[in-house]
Amino acid sequence: MKKIFLFSLGLILFTSLSFSQVFQKITGQPLVNDNGYGSGCAWGDYNNDGKLDIIVTSYNDFGSSTYPLLYKNLGNGNFQIASDNTIMTNSLYQTLACAWGDYNYDGRMDLYIATGMNQPDLLYKNLGGGNFQRITNCVPLVSGHSGGVCWTDYNKDGYLDILSVQHGYNLLYKGLPNGDFAQVTTGPIVTDYGIHRRAAWGDYNNDKYPDLFVANGDFQDDNLYLNNKNGTFTKITSGPVVTSGGYGSGCSWGDYNNDGWLDLFVTNSGPNFLFKNNRNGTFTRINTGAIATDADNSFGCNWGDYDNDGDLDMFVANNEQQVNRLYRNEGNDNFTKITNEPVVNEVSSSVGSSWGDYNNDGKLDLFVVNQGYNAPPQNDFLYRNTGAGPWYLMIKFWGGGIGTRVKLRIGNYIAIREVSGGNSCSSQDMPWVHFGLGFLADNPVNTADSVIVDWMDGTTEILVNVPLNQEIDFYGIVPVQQVSSEVPVKYSLEQNYPNPFNPVTNIKYSVVNTGNVKLTVFDINGKEVDVLVNGVQSPGTYSVQYKTSKLPSGVYLYRLVTDGFTDTKKMILVK
C-alpha cells in the first residue's frame, strides 16, 4: 500500500555543475543554543507529521551532562524542545548513542538510547500523539558502557533486533512477535571481547541479509561478521577491513561508486579508512587522496549526496578542537576536500553527525553534535542546504523501514541506498532514502525507469515510470494468503479479527468464481482510505493481514466487491 504525491520533472548524461557555497549555518534555533556536552543524534519523524524531528544525547567524561534532548520540528525551519516528553523527564544522565526503530510494528518510531558509566540502556515505546513510555521489562537491564546502538532484522523474521555496542562483550537482542526481546548469548558477535566503540549493519555481499561491522578502539583490529542466513554469523578474519588496526570511532556503509555494492568508511584517531567493495566478498583499501590521508581525530562519518549530483559524498566530524571535513565525490575513487563551506571552517570538538532533510526541499541538511573540549561545553551545529540542485527523489517508509534497500534505475544510471538502523558515531542518518539527481538538469526526463524496494522482511515492491522531484510513501505490501483452494459454496466476507484492533487485524473472505476482487477500507464518512486487494483471484478462501498506523482511532468500513457479490462490514481501530 503506497501513496504517491506527484510533481513533475525530468535523463541522464553527466553535466558540469557550479560548486558555489551550499550550506547556511542556522543560529536562531534552540537545538543550536544548548551549550552542552553532546554525543549522538538521530533524525526521525516521531509524531508522523511528515517533518523530521531530532534526538540529541548528552555525555561527558568529566561527569557533567544533561538528559537527552528531543526537538520537535514545527515546520518553516523552526524547532521546539519537547521538555515535557517522557524521553526528557524519565531518563538517565550520560547517554551516548541513539537510534529510531519501530520495534512493535505499529507504524510509530520507537527509540533506543545507549548509555555509559555502567548504566542500563533505555528503550522508549512510542504511544502516538507525541508521547512515549519508558520500557523497563523488555530489554534485559544489563549495565555497561554502550558506545553505539543499531537496529536491524538480522534473521528476517519481520521483527527488529537490537545491537548494543559495548566496551567488553556486545549485547544482541532478538526481537520477538509479542514486542519483547530475547538476549542472544552465543556466536562471535556477543562472545568476542574488545574495546568495541561503534557498529553498522549493511548487506555487503548482496544476499539480502544484513552483515555487521564493528569499529574497535585501542588500536585493535576491527570486526566483520558475515550473516549465514540461518540466525548465525561467521567472523571474517582476513582482508584489510579486519587487519588494518586503527582507533575506530565511527563507521558507515554506502555505495559511493554506484556499482550496486556497499562500500565502508571508518573513522580513526589518525588516517581514516575507505574500503571499496570488490563485489566478491573482499575489499580494497583506498590509500590515496585527502579522504584517506587526512590525519585528524575523527568520530562521526556520514555518506550523503549533499550536492544532488547522483553520487555519495562524505562528511567527517572531528574532535579535539579541529575543523570538520567534507569530501565531494568526483567519481573513479576520487574525492575533493571542500574548504569553502561553513561546515568545514569552524573549530569544534564534534562527535556525532546526521544527514536529514528537515525542511522537505529534497536537499540534505546536516546536524553536528559538539562535546566540548577539556570541560567547557559547546553549542551544536545545524546547516541548512540552500545550494544543491533541485533534482531528487525522496522515499519514506511506514515505521521507518529500517534495513530496507532501494534500487533506482534511470537509463544507465543505477544507485542503491539502505535505511540505516544506526551509523556514524553514536548516531543515525534520517530513515528516509534520498537520491540526488542533479546530473539530469541538462538532459531532463520526467520519470525514473524503476524503483525497487526490498523490505527487510523479504517482501519486494516495484514501481515503474516513477515521476521525479517528489516524495513517495511506502506502507509495505499487504499480506494476502490463500488459506484454501477448495471452491467455496458461496461468496462471503467475514468479520475481521481481532476487533477492536491496534494496529493489525485479519480479514477473511471467499471467492466462488475466477474474477476481479477488490477489498477497500473507508472511513465512517465513506471516504476511501486504503485499497487492500485489487486484482484477479481464483476460487478459494483468502486472508488479508491489515496493518495501519496512519489512521486515527475510529470506526471504519471494509467492502468486498466481486463480479457477483458485494458486502460491507464495520471494524474498530483503537489506539
Side-chain angles (χ1 to χ4, degrees):
M1 299 290 299
K2 45 195 172 288
K3 293 186 177 178
I4 301 178
F5 306 93
L6 302 178
F7 292 86
S8 205
L9 250 265
L11 175 177
I12 188 157
L13 294 180
F14 290 91
T15 183
S16 61
L17 299 176
S18 175
F19 293 105
S20 57
Q21 194 170 87
V22 172
F23 292 98
Q24 172 192 359
K25 184 180 179 182
I26 302 300
T27 58
Q29 293 297 318
L31 70 171
V32 294
N33 289 288
D34 60 309
N35 196 38
Y37 302 95
S39 179
C41 59
W43 293 104
D45 181 11
Y46 76 86
N47 55 356
N48 282 345
D49 65 352
K51 300 184 290 290
L52 286 175
D53 314 294
I54 195 165
I55 181 74
V56 183
T57 55
S58 176
Y59 180 85
N60 182 13
D61 288 329
F62 301 97
S64 176
S65 71
T66 67
Y67 277 3
L69 302 174
L70 178 64
Y71 297 98
K72 179 181 179 181
N73 190 336
L74 302 178
N76 298 317
N78 296 312
F79 289 83
Q80 179 184 72
I81 191 165
S83 57
D84 59 346
N85 196 284
T86 300
I87 293 173
M88 294 187 58
T89 61
N90 185 5
S91 187
L92 294 170
Y93 296 107
Q94 303 294 3
T95 55
L96 282 118
C98 51
W100 300 98
D102 180 15
Y103 78 88
N104 58 343
Y105 205 54
D106 63 357
R108 298 188 289 259
M109 300 291 280
D110 310 299
L111 180 66
Y112 193 97
I113 295 179
T115 70
M117 301 291 187
N118 201 36
Q119 300 180 112
D121 290 342
L122 302 168
L123 177 64
Y124 294 95
K125 179 181 178 180
N126 193 327
L127 303 178
N131 300 310
F132 290 83
Q133 176 187 0
R134 180 176 169 183
I135 303 299
T136 58
N137 60 348
C138 188
V139 176
L141 298 178
V142 179
S143 297
H145 185 90
S146 307
V149 57
C150 308
W151 296 94
T152 192
D153 181 8
Y154 73 86
N155 56 351
K156 298 181 77 70
D157 62 355
Y159 304 100
L160 283 182
D161 315 302
I162 303 172
L163 176 75
S164 178
V165 185
Q166 297 278 323
H167 285 190
Y169 297 104
N170 290 324
L171 302 174
L172 180 61
Y173 303 115
K174 178 183 176 181
L176 302 177
N178 61 357
D180 286 338
F181 293 84
Q183 186 173 353
V184 177
T185 58
T186 60
I189 290 177
V190 297
T191 59
D192 283 347
Y193 184 89
I195 307 300
H196 309 305
R197 288 167 60 81
R198 314 288 183 263
W201 297 94
D203 177 17
Y204 78 83
N205 62 343
N206 282 357
D207 66 354
K208 297 190 176 183
Y209 279 76
D211 311 297
L212 179 65
F213 173 81
V214 178
N216 296 325
D218 204 23
F219 300 99
Q220 299 176 2
D221 284 333
D222 298 327
N223 301 128
L224 181 63
Y225 302 99
L226 176 68
N227 194 323
N228 296 325
K229 302 191 292 187
N230 60 2
T232 68
F233 292 82
T234 296
K235 182 178 181 179
I236 303 301
T237 57
S238 62
V241 171
V242 296
T243 59
S244 296
Y247 201 108
S249 292
C251 50
S252 287
W253 295 97
D255 179 19
Y256 76 83
N257 56 353
N258 288 336
D259 66 351
W261 298 76
L262 291 179
D263 311 295
L264 178 65
F265 192 85
V266 185
T267 53
N268 293 288
S269 293
N272 298 318
F273 299 153
L274 175 59
F275 298 108
K276 180 179 178 180
N277 195 323
N278 296 326
R279 300 185 288 181
N280 60 2
T282 68
F283 293 81
T284 295
R285 181 177 171 184
I286 304 299
N287 292 304
T288 58
I291 194 171
T293 59
D294 281 344
D296 301 314
N297 187 19
S298 301
F299 277 66
C301 56
N302 307 77
W303 294 107
D305 185 5
Y306 81 90
D307 53 359
N308 276 0
D309 69 346
D311 49 27
L312 293 175
D313 313 294
M314 171 56 65
F315 172 80
V316 175
N318 290 325
N319 201 268
E320 295 186 358
Q321 293 297 91
Q322 298 177 324
V323 295
N324 297 321
R325 305 291 188 187
L326 181 63
Y327 303 98
R328 189 179 69 225
N329 191 339
E330 308 290 2
N332 298 316
D333 302 335
N334 296 315
F335 291 80
T336 296
K337 182 163 63 175
I338 301 300
T339 59
N340 68 333
E341 291 285 349
V343 300
V344 298
N345 287 326
E346 297 187 80
V347 173
S348 61
S349 293
S350 300
V351 189
S353 47
S354 177
W355 294 109
D357 180 15
Y358 75 84
N359 57 347
N360 291 343
D361 64 353
K363 304 170 186 177
L364 290 182
D365 311 300
L366 180 65
F367 189 81
V368 183
V369 183
N370 293 319
Q371 189 179 56
Y373 183 65
N374 284 339
Q378 284 184 301
N379 286 327
D380 298 328
F381 297 149
L382 176 62
Y383 301 101
R384 179 184 175 187
N385 190 324
T386 60
W391 294 73
Y392 71 96
L393 188 65
M394 191 78 73
I395 300 176
K396 302 179 181 181
F397 300 99
W398 183 85
I402 298 300
T404 298
R405 175 179 286 200
V406 182
K407 186 176 186 178
L408 173 70
R409 180 187 293 272
I410 306 175
N412 295 324
Y413 173 80
I414 300 174
I416 65 168
R417 302 285 188 268
E418 281 192 4
V419 181
S420 173
N423 63 298
S424 186
C425 174
S426 303
S427 298
Q428 180 187 35
D429 287 318
M430 70 173 181
W432 304 344
V433 164
H434 166 263
F435 292 96
L437 301 173
F439 59 86
L440 300 176
D442 290 344
N443 299 276
V445 295
N446 293 323
T447 60
D449 296 331
S450 63
V451 174
I452 302 174
V453 176
D454 287 320
W455 290 82
M456 181 57 82
D457 64 4
T459 58
T460 299
E461 292 188 69
I462 302 175
L463 297 182
V464 296
N465 300 322
V466 180
L468 304 179
N469 260 33
Q470 64 158 322
E471 296 176 356
I472 306 176
D473 289 346
F474 278 86
Y475 293 96
I477 295 175
V478 176
V480 180
Q481 178 183 8
Q482 185 173 12
V483 295
S484 174
S485 59
E486 182 178 345
V487 179
V489 175
K490 62 180 181 179
Y491 287 95
S492 67
L493 176 64
E494 299 184 16
Q495 187 64 48
N496 67 299
Y497 64 93
N499 189 44
F501 71 98
N502 178 32
V504 179
T505 191
N506 298 280
I507 301 172
K508 187 180 289 187
Y509 60 91
S510 297
V511 176
V512 176
N513 298 314
T514 298
N516 191 71
V517 176
K518 188 172 184 179
L519 181 61
T520 312
V521 178
F522 303 86
D523 66 17
I524 196 63
N525 296 316
K527 179 183 177 182
E528 181 182 298
V529 296
D530 261 322
V531 178
L532 307 185
V533 179
N534 189 12
V536 176
Q537 291 184 332
S538 59
T541 301
Y542 295 82
S543 179
V544 175
Q545 184 185 78
Y546 179 44
K547 45 184 178 285
T548 181
S549 65
K550 60 187 183 297
L551 300 178
S553 298
V555 177
Y556 292 88
L557 309 174
Y558 59 99
R559 177 179 299 163
L560 179 70
V561 178
T562 73
D563 293 335
F565 176 80
T566 298
D567 194 12
T568 302
K569 293 188 181 296
K570 292 182 179 181
M571 59 183 175
I572 302 173
L573 174 61
V574 178
K575 293 188 174 181

